């Protein structure tokens, strides 16, 4: 192959050529990249240019560097785990969240008293700085090794007068039952975003560089649509995918849809 001659930053041109070689199957998943010396000879560029090109591809998630061994093409297979985001209730009033994984606790849940932030306060319809219980769980699916972080945020106003005031580490499904017994008719809303992990999240979830996470936020609503509870679920996007069941809502009385 001759020297790179297209306009643009030289390292970006080299990165584009390597990316094309990966896409074409010349460098298959799991295969090592040619050495720096081989890439220098192949593209007719300097060592810093090759290193910057490889660094750019690593940032994209196409390349992973194994210390002492070199650079390798990353596998881009389908996620190993499908997590069904669904809440069910049986005739006895018992709630379950059968989501396709058998989550085990990696460590004991961590409970602390904290306060609402701008974001969590808005989700819970509370002012910033309102008191909350926070319960963090680090989970793992033994079948796939996939790890997940789960956080429950319970406002003091929700916990008051219930067992949650003394046991904020209660499992979410049991929390649903307690809120139902307190007279609430529950419904849930959930949002999902993909973002790059913070260093502590990447360490806890044991995910490689340049790998985004899926961050879901589920709000439990009670009577008069009052937000009662906030749950956050974070998992590596290359290990898990989320699935949802979509059903039709009843059109409110007096309101018709128009074509």
């Amino acid at each position: 192959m001759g020297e790179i001659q297209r306009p643009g930053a030289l390292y970006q041109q080299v990165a584009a050529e390597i990316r094309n070689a990966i896409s074409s199957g010349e460098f298959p998943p799991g295969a090592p990249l040619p050495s720096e010396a081989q890439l220098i000879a192949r593209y007719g560029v300097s060592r810093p240019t090759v290193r910057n090109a490889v660094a750019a591809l690593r940032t994209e998630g196409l390349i992973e560097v194994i210390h002492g061994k070199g650079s390798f093409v990353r596998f881009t297979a389908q996620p190993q785990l499908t997590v069904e985001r669904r809440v069910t209730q049986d005739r006895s009033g018992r709630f379950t969240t059968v989501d396709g994984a058998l989550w085990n606790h990696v460590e004991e849940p961590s409970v602390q008293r904290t306060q609402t932030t701008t974001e969590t306060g808005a989700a819970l319809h509370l002012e910033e700085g309102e008191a909350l219980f926070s319960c963090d769980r680090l989970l793992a699916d033994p079948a796939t090794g996939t790890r997940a972080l789960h956080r429950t945020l319970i406002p003091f106003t929700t916990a008051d007068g219930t067992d949650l005031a003394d046991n904020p580490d209660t499992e979410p499904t049991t929390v649903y039952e307690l809120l139902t017994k307190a007279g609430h008719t529950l419904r849930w809303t959930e949002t999902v975003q993909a973002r790059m992990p913070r260093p502590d999240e990447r360490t806890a979830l044991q995910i490689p560089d340049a790998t985004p996470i899926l961050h879901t936020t589920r709000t439990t609503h009670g009577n008069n649509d009052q937000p009662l509870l906030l749950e956050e679920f974070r998992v590596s996007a290359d290990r898990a995918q989320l699935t949802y069941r979509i059903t039709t809502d009843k059109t409110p009385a007096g309101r018709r849809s128009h074509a």
Side-chain angles (χ1 to χ4, degrees):
M1 181 176 290
E3 294 186 2
I4 299 291
Q5 296 181 349
R6 289 178 294 172
L10 201 55
Y11 84 89
Q12 291 177 342
Q13 298 174 43
V14 173
E17 291 295 330
I18 298 174
R19 192 184 300 113
N20 289 338
I22 293 172
S23 299
S24 69
E26 181 181 354
F27 304 146
L33 280 188
S35 67
E36 283 188 353
Q38 291 172 321
L39 292 174
I40 289 170
R42 175 174 175 139
Y43 299 116
V45 295
S46 66
R47 189 178 301 274
T49 299
V50 165
R51 288 182 175 177
N52 287 337
V54 172
L57 295 173
R58 182 183 180 186
T59 300
E60 293 177 22
L62 290 177
I63 298 295
E64 65 177 327
V65 177
I66 301 177
H67 296 293
K69 294 185 178 181
S71 299
F72 293 79
V73 180
R74 280 185 59 179
F75 287 92
T76 56
Q78 283 292 104
Q80 296 176 303
L81 181 64
T82 297
V83 180
E84 186 172 2
R85 304 294 290 164
R86 180 164 57 102
V87 179
T88 62
Q89 185 181 23
D90 61 23
R91 293 181 178 179
S92 69
R94 183 173 178 268
F95 289 91
T96 57
T97 53
V98 179
D99 58 13
L102 180 63
W103 299 112
N104 292 333
H105 287 270
V106 176
E107 54 194 30
E108 290 297 316
S110 173
V111 178
Q112 60 179 339
R113 297 189 177 197
T114 185
Q115 296 177 335
T116 53
T117 63
T118 301
E119 291 183 354
T120 59
L124 290 166
H125 295 181
L126 296 173
E127 297 292 332
E128 183 176 352
E130 294 286 339
L132 297 171
F133 289 112
S134 173
C135 180
D136 288 300
R137 294 176 171 89
L138 177 57
L139 310 171
D141 173 47
T144 63
T146 302
R147 285 189 166 202
L149 291 166
H150 183 277
R151 171 173 293 168
T152 307
L153 297 175
I154 307 173
F156 279 18
T157 52
T158 298
D160 285 347
T162 73
D163 290 343
L164 298 176
D166 296 321
N167 301 286
D169 58 345
T170 300
E171 290 288 340
T173 51
T174 304
V175 175
Y176 301 160
E177 293 175 27
L178 291 174
L179 294 175
T180 300
K181 291 177 181 178
H184 288 284
T185 299
L186 304 182
R187 74 173 188 89
W188 295 265
T189 57
E190 187 159 295
T191 60
V192 184
Q193 70 173 136
R195 62 172 175 81
M196 299 306 294
R198 299 189 300 267
D200 61 320
E201 293 171 327
R202 189 162 69 85
T203 299
L205 295 174
Q206 297 181 345
I207 55 178
D209 293 339
T211 302
I213 63 171
L214 299 175
H215 185 159
T216 75
T217 303
R218 173 181 289 175
T219 306
T220 301
H221 303 265
N223 298 339
N224 301 316
D225 214 29
Q226 176 189 359
L228 300 173
L229 182 74
L230 202 63
E231 296 174 68
E232 296 179 349
F233 179 82
R234 289 160 285 170
V235 66
S236 174
D238 73 338
R239 302 300 301 274
Q241 61 186 1
L242 309 179
T243 182
Y244 292 83
R245 177 178 298 181
I246 299 175
T247 59
T248 56
D249 285 335
K250 294 182 179 179
T251 303
R255 176 181 171 186
R256 294 183 179 180
S257 59
H258 298 277

